[in-house]
Amino acid sequence: MHPRLLPLLLGALAFAAPALAQAQDDAPIAYPDDDTQEDAPRKLPRRSEDPTADYDRMKDQSEAEGDFEHLANSDDPNKGFAGELVLGTMLLDSSRGRFADPTFSAGVRFTWEYGRILDKEPLRETLWADVRWMTAGASDGTQLINDHFRVHYLSIAPAYEFVFGEAKTFGLFGQIGGGFAYQSTSLNIGDQVTPITGLKPLLQYGVGFRGRPRLSEKLCLSFRLELMRFRRGYLDDTFLGGSLGTAF
């Protein structure tokens, strides 16, 4: 063999090995069969059937409470105020040993549903308070000797109501509060008049039925039927009646 051919053959073999390896590396990569991959079921993330589940899960976390906006105030256009005319029968505690002295009673009442400011949905319709003024009077005697008695009740009383119905416009309530009673008596003997006045602490408590059917978007009819006791000093007066007004 020619002495120069041997180095040429060795050089050709040295370059052929990397080229062969590169040719093997350029072979296409095998992928799984597409049909087999499509037939495999895909697992999707599960969602709870209860739309409130996420909120129930997160509301236990103190930092998550602020992430949810309560829309109760925007859904209900009412402000929670009402004014009513009160009429009924007041059974005045009798000073003559009888069961009671029945007499006509009238007054006005203003209501504020303060549960709306607490931002708690169950308390919006159940907590409210009244400012009430009522009066009742009686007279007895003869043409020569007689007396005239009148008492004014002024009280502030919060209440808790058990609402029912889809619209939550009706409910049964219990109420307790306090104030004062101003009473005046005039004893007439002929032309001589002797006035007697006094102020006594007042305790008010009772139960009743309350309704607020809607008249328009922002106005409701407000009414009640109630049985209420007024304890002035050591005397107990019982009111049985109702009221009618509007709420907005």
Side-chain angles (χ1 to χ4, degrees):
M1 179 177 295
H2 197 280
R4 295 182 179 180
L5 293 179
L6 182 59
L8 293 176
L9 291 176
L10 293 176
L13 291 175
F15 285 105
L20 180 60
Q22 183 178 1
Q24 292 178 354
D25 292 339
D26 292 340
I29 301 174
Y31 290 95
D33 189 2
D34 293 340
D35 296 337
T36 305
Q37 186 178 7
E38 291 295 334
D39 293 340
R42 295 183 179 179
K43 294 184 179 181
L44 298 177
R46 297 182 60 187
R47 295 186 60 183
S48 174
E49 296 180 356
D50 185 3
T52 63
D54 291 337
Y55 177 76
D56 293 337
R57 174 175 53 83
M58 295 183 64
K59 71 178 181 180
D60 295 333
Q61 304 175 7
S62 57
E63 68 277 5
E65 187 69 23
D67 296 339
F68 296 91
E69 181 181 0
H70 297 274
L71 300 178
N73 291 327
S74 59
D75 293 340
D76 188 355
N78 287 46
K79 302 300 182 182
F81 298 101
E84 298 173 345
L85 174 65
V86 186
L87 299 173
T89 300
M90 184 71 75
L91 303 177
L92 296 173
D93 200 342
S94 179
S95 60
R96 293 176 291 182
R98 301 188 304 186
F99 168 71
D101 293 326
T103 183
F104 174 75
S105 179
V108 292
R109 173 172 52 216
F110 298 97
T111 303
W112 176 38
E113 297 177 0
Y114 66 90
R116 295 171 178 266
I117 66 174
L118 301 179
D119 202 20
K120 298 294 183 182
E121 184 66 24
L123 301 179
R124 285 178 52 81
E125 311 293 341
T126 59
L127 293 179
W128 44 269
D130 288 335
V131 175
R132 176 196 301 245
W133 168 81
M134 293 185 63
T135 184
S139 60
D140 199 4
T142 64
Q143 186 175 0
L144 179 63
I145 301 175
N146 56 74
D147 70 278
H148 298 275
F149 168 79
R150 181 158 294 277
V151 59
H152 300 269
Y153 309 88
L154 183 62
S155 63
I156 299 176
Y160 184 86
E161 182 177 355
F162 298 90
V163 295
F164 53 86
E166 183 178 356
K168 298 182 180 181
T169 55
F170 300 97
L172 301 174
F173 68 87
Q175 188 173 28
I176 185 170
F180 62 87
Y182 175 79
Q183 56 189 48
S184 62
T185 303
S186 61
L187 177 61
N188 304 321
I189 303 177
D191 295 334
Q192 185 178 1
V193 179
T194 304
I196 302 173
T197 60
L199 193 66
K200 292 185 176 181
L202 180 69
L203 174 65
Q204 173 193 338
Y205 59 95
V207 295
F209 172 79
R210 179 173 180 246
R212 293 169 301 135
R214 189 173 297 278
L215 298 177
S216 64
E217 183 181 359
K218 296 184 179 181
L219 188 64
C220 298
L221 178 67
S222 178
F223 68 90
R224 291 190 213 173
L225 298 175
E226 61 183 13
L227 175 63
M228 203 66 56
R229 295 293 298 272
F230 297 91
R231 184 171 181 83
R232 47 185 177 93
Y234 60 90
L235 300 173
D236 290 297
D237 303 331
T238 303
F239 174 75
L240 179 61
S243 60
L244 183 65
T246 57
F248 57 94

